[in-house]
Amino acid sequence: MLRGYAPTPAGVTIPSGAQYNIYFPGHAIGMPPPLSDGVVSYTDGAPETLDQYSKDIAAFLMWAAEPTLDARKRIGFQVLIYLLVLSGLLYFTKKKIWQNVHAPDEASPGADPKATTP
């Protein structure tokens, strides 16, 4: 929406006081363009263009919507590592505890069940 302001094309009429915006429904918006090239100067040499300003605003709004995203992802990664280690320990513990327990012999299909030996 920030980059959608454009001159009104020929043959299109919009109400007085409205601006033409290609992304806005109806293409007529009552807000004047909030940004233009060269308004903000960057000290790191980033381009002073409307595209760069739009990217910066979108990144800031993403951070403002969820400022703890990095911490949440880090904790989630730590939980996954913990669960992986725990699963490995539980698997090997199960193998150690149940290593001497044997399944009872079963008769094969069609064989006499009394013919099995313990």
Side-chain angles (χ1 to χ4, degrees):
M1 177 133 156
L2 293 173
R3 298 179 352 191
Y5 290 93
T8 306
V12 176
T13 58
I14 58 171
S16 64
Q19 303 289 324
Y20 182 79
N21 190 310
I22 59 175
Y23 299 117
F24 194 75
H27 302 295
I29 186 169
M31 180 177 72
L35 296 173
S36 60
D37 289 342
V39 174
V40 178
S41 60
Y42 292 106
T43 58
D44 63 351
E48 299 175 5
T49 61
L50 182 61
D51 289 338
Q52 183 65 38
Y53 299 154
S54 299
K55 289 177 187 176
D56 291 343
I57 289 171
F60 171 73
L61 290 175
M62 177 62 190
W63 174 83
E66 198 167 359
T68 59
L69 177 69
D70 292 334
R72 186 172 52 88
K73 284 184 177 181
R74 186 180 64 250
I75 290 171
F77 183 71
Q78 292 172 350
V79 166
L80 287 177
I81 296 292
Y82 172 79
L83 290 175
L84 185 66
V85 169
L86 180 65
S87 297
L89 290 173
L90 290 175
Y91 174 75
F92 290 115
T93 301
K94 178 235 174 219
K95 293 294 265 186
K96 179 72 174 164
I97 290 174
W98 294 96
Q99 71 182 355
N100 294 326
V101 178
H102 300 287
D105 293 334
E106 294 183 17
S108 58
D112 182 18
K114 295 180 183 176
T116 57
T117 58

